[in-house]
Amino acid sequence: MQQKNVLDLLSSKPSLQEVTICGWVRTFRSNRFIALNDGSTIKNLQCVIDFENFEDSILKKVSVGAALKVTGQLIKSKGQEQSVEIQVSKIEILGEANPEDLKLTILSPKHHTFEKLREQAHLRIRTKTFSAVMRTRSKLAFAIHEYFQKNDFNYMHSPIITGSDAEGAGELFRVSTLNPINPPLDENGNVNYKQDFFEKETNLTVSGQLEGETFALGLGKIYTFGPTFRAENSNTSRHLAEFWMIEPEVAFYDLDQNMDLAEDFIKYIINYALDNCKDDLEFLENRLLQEEKNKPETLRSDMALRNKLKFIIDNKFIRVSYTEAIEILKRSKPNQKKKFKYIIKEWGVDLQSEHERFLVEKHFKSPVILFDYPAAIKAFYMRLNEDGKTVRAMDVLFPGIGEIVGGSQREERYDVLKQKMKEMDIDEKELWWYLELRKFGTAIHSGFGLGFERLVQFVTGMGNIRDVIPYPRSPGSANF
Ligand code: 4AD
Ligand code: MG
């Protein structure tokens, strides 16, 4: 039988039978009350000891951070905070934590900034906030699989090492086993990748989409869920060099069906979190309220975390074309008064996150799906509209986050795709297989990518994306 954890015990009835529980000391008060946490829940189990019955040498080792095995009766608690507690009969010290050394770490009982926590990322899982975020992250991952499996999608493992640049943006991490100091050269003096491990240039994937499309045009409905790598030099609170992406791809879906899927999917996941992460979300909501107390009133959010999540579920995402959005932005106050960093002058410009956030947070006050973007600012694979200048792209924009989903209907017409690749300087030889897909039973199809960490950020209310992934990788930083 599996050993009981704190989560089990807190929902158990008092019993005469002894139980054993392992965990780490969160606090130890009055030589009497140990708050024990084992990671199964944000809550601690109170373990009460009669110090008269224990040797001083043992009690000394019951210090914050130490790992213990505790045995005793689960009794009705005399305190208000919890319904049950353990009346301890036996304590085993599994791992000590010297208070002098611990003082120098983020486990010491005082306020530590999230920046400081990142410097000790090996310990931060033992802090309340980070463990709440990571439990929620795990639940969200499960909900994602559940949603797709329930809806007859096949989980596809797209390759991590690829020979292509799916987004055509050139933000690639090279994969090579050549000696960087003295690489073999070809007759023109360039590095000769024919002598490399794969006998060609390869990189870490920026998206599993192109391979996903091949599977969708055989299995019908697929999704990927895996790590994605981008060497983009974006030092923001919403960008990582290594992040996880969920990419569904569906044969015979057009852009409208794609938007329906994205909306339904996101709502399901958020609803799942509200139902299954109650204690953690309550804690995270209170944390956020505390944090916002120190901010000027104008910067505080007008909704508490869980209300924000409910708001997403209860409201239809507003669908607006890029062209309409540009008109709204042009007429907007911050544009007229030159408050935007990038002033919107004309149709065709790419939207910055300040514009996306204005639309979502100020203008519509609702999640927004922007669609039909100018072809020139989007990737080569998106389906060209009849107007010849826009493509069937869509971005889902969220309050506080900006873009959370990017997707499109794919160009299924061989000639149009070939022409587009030429115009955008995409190597046809590299993507011969992707083009060939359009020769044998081509069909309209669509898909999108959801940035998993941006979703976790939204659900947990965390301000920085580096605090919702176990070991963040960003420019200049790949510690641990
Ligand atoms: O908009 P993106 O670049 O779209 C694609 O990669 C498509 N191939 C997806 C598809 O149609 N199958 O990325 C999709 C999402 C973004 O909306 C964002 O949420 C997230 O991935 N994302 C990042 N998240 C963290 N750090 C980064 N550097 C990210 N870049 C994109
Ligand atoms: Mg995008």
Side-chain angles (χ1 to χ4, degrees):
M1 206 189 77
Q2 274 199 13
Q3 195 168 312
K4 288 247 157 68
N5 59 29
V6 170
L7 184 64
D8 300 326
L9 291 185
L10 285 178
S11 59
S12 299
K13 292 215 164 62
S15 146
L16 292 176
Q17 250 194 342
E18 291 216 313
V19 290
T20 296
I21 186 95
C22 297
W24 295 271
V25 178
R26 275 281 160 82
T27 59
F28 184 31
R29 288 186 293 121
S30 319
N31 243 359
R32 195 173 187 81
F33 303 106
I34 305 170
L36 203 68
N37 188 279
D38 67 354
S40 60
T41 157
I42 188 88
K43 293 183 174 158
N44 301 325
L45 181 66
Q46 174 149 288
C47 305
V48 186
I49 57 177
D50 294 326
F51 55 84
E52 301 84 354
N53 301 339
F54 289 88
E55 282 180 30
D56 252 6
S57 60
I58 292 272
L59 292 180
K60 259 205 207 117
K61 291 177 185 167
V62 180
S63 61
V64 172
L68 308 185
K69 186 171 184 176
V70 169
T71 303
Q73 260 180 19
L74 192 70
I75 61 169
K76 188 173 180 307
S77 176
K78 296 178 189 86
Q80 302 289 315
E81 303 275 298
Q82 59 277 315
S83 61
V84 290
E85 62 193 20
I86 288 194
Q87 182 64 48
V88 181
S89 60
K90 192 171 151 211
I91 297 177
E92 198 180 319
I93 310 288
L94 300 177
E96 295 175 40
N98 182 320
E100 282 307 307
D101 296 338
L102 184 116
K103 241 197 270 173
L104 305 173
T105 74
I106 55 167
L107 298 183
S108 62
K110 60 171 214 187
H111 178 76
H112 301 283
T113 62
F114 289 130
E115 286 78 16
K116 191 88 199 154
L117 260 52
R118 270 174 242 143
E119 289 169 15
Q120 297 178 27
H122 60 302
L123 295 177
R124 68 179 177 160
I125 194 59
R126 287 220 233 145
T127 67
K128 277 189 149 182
T129 301
F130 194 68
S131 65
V133 172
M134 286 299 120
R135 269 189 301 271
T136 307
R137 180 182 167 112
S138 169
K139 294 276 188 222
L140 289 171
F142 176 77
I144 286 164
H145 285 295
E146 186 175 78
Y147 176 84
F148 286 123
Q149 295 292 335
K150 271 187 182 168
N151 287 291
D152 304 328
F153 282 70
N154 292 285
Y155 181 27
M156 177 217 179
H157 295 113
S158 48
I160 306 279
I161 300 173
T162 71
S164 57
D165 179 0
E167 293 302 302
E171 293 161 340
L172 308 175
F173 285 105
R174 186 183 292 290
V175 174
S176 172
T177 55
L178 291 180
N179 179 354
I181 295 168
N182 188 17
L185 302 176
D186 63 15
E187 58 273 20
N188 301 321
N190 298 321
V191 175
N192 187 359
Y193 288 103
K194 287 215 176 73
Q195 291 189 33
D196 204 345
F197 188 92
F198 296 108
E199 300 179 6
K200 62 179 292 197
E201 284 188 71
T202 49
N203 55 275
L204 295 177
T205 184
V206 294
S207 156
Q209 178 197 320
L210 306 192
E211 293 88 355
E213 284 184 51
T214 68
F215 263 48
L217 293 181
L219 288 177
K221 290 164 144 188
I222 66 99
Y223 70 106
T224 72
F225 187 175
T228 310
F229 308 86
R230 294 199 184 169
E232 57 186 326
N233 203 359
S234 304
N235 246 314
T236 80
S237 60
R238 296 176 308 114
H239 285 89
L240 289 164
E242 176 179 305
F243 64 99
W244 284 63
M245 187 153 56
I246 297 103
E247 297 187 276
E249 190 72 32
V250 189
F252 315 117
Y253 264 29
D254 64 15
L255 191 71
D256 289 318
Q257 291 167 298
N258 200 27
M259 290 195 255
D260 291 343
L261 175 67
E263 184 169 344
D264 189 55
F265 167 57
I266 293 175
K267 285 179 171 172
Y268 181 91
I269 305 304
I270 291 181
N271 198 37
Y272 184 93
L274 279 169
D275 282 349
N276 293 278
C277 309
K278 289 202 172 91
D279 292 342
D280 285 324
L281 289 183
E282 184 186 345
F283 170 82
L284 291 164
E285 176 172 297
N286 290 329
R287 184 205 73 79
L288 199 59
L289 287 173
Q290 285 302 325
E291 184 182 88
E292 292 198 334
K293 270 191 192 153
N294 304 324
K295 285 186 183 168
E297 213 149 321
T298 49
L299 291 181
R300 295 181 203 164
S301 47
D302 40 8
M303 267 186 250
L305 181 62
R306 282 171 297 177
N307 283 340
K308 227 162 65 180
L309 301 181
K310 284 193 197 104
F311 182 83
I312 297 287
I313 298 169
D314 294 341
N315 286 280
K316 187 143 176 55
F317 296 5
I318 293 176
R319 300 181 187 187
V320 193
S321 74
Y322 166 91
T323 303
E324 288 172 78
I326 286 291
E327 285 310 311
I328 292 167
L329 286 167
K330 263 205 236 161
R331 290 194 305 266
S332 73
K333 245 196 208 158
N335 205 57
Q336 304 271 343
K337 298 203 161 156
K338 303 215 171 3
K339 287 268 153 53
F340 282 144
K341 194 161 161 223
Y342 298 91
I343 303 300
I344 303 274
K345 294 205 186 88
E346 59 198 27
W347 191 94
V349 293
D350 205 355
L351 298 184
Q352 303 298 319
S353 95
E354 57 179 345
H355 308 125
E356 296 175 344
R357 293 188 61 169
F358 173 83
L359 290 169
V360 173
E361 291 161 30
K362 297 279 172 343
H363 188 81
F364 290 109
K365 293 190 175 23
S366 154
V368 170
I369 309 184
L370 288 189
F371 62 91
D372 284 353
Y373 281 77
I377 59 170
K378 287 288 183 188
F380 69 95
Y381 50 69
M382 299 186 179
R383 195 182 197 281
L384 194 63
N385 276 314
E386 300 310 313
D387 63 13
K389 57 178 196 171
T390 60
V391 284
R392 299 248 75 190
M394 63 123 173
D395 278 3
V396 180
L397 312 179
F398 258 38
I401 302 284
E403 180 191 334
I404 194 161
V405 160
S408 62
Q409 186 174 326
R410 320 306 189 187
E411 185 55 77
E412 85 285 10
R413 299 164 294 185
Y414 182 86
D415 295 334
V416 183
L417 181 61
K418 200 172 152 103
Q419 178 61 29
K420 188 73 169 294
M421 286 170 69
K422 206 168 172 182
E423 283 166 17
M424 293 187 123
D425 214 13
I426 305 291
D427 191 354
E428 222 181 273
K429 275 199 240 88
E430 208 58 80
L431 289 179
W432 65 273
W433 52 275
Y434 186 70
L435 264 167
E436 190 166 290
L437 209 57
R438 276 73 184 160
K439 288 208 305 210
F440 308 111
T442 192
I444 67 160
H445 60 288
S446 301
F448 61 81
L450 171 83
F452 186 47
E453 283 75 20
R454 291 194 188 170
L455 175 76
V456 181
Q457 250 191 303
F458 183 76
V459 170
T460 59
M462 296 299 285
N464 195 317
I465 197 164
R466 294 169 204 194
D467 299 323
V468 302
I469 187 165
Y471 293 95
R473 274 80 180 89
S474 55
S477 163
N479 297 323
F480 303 97

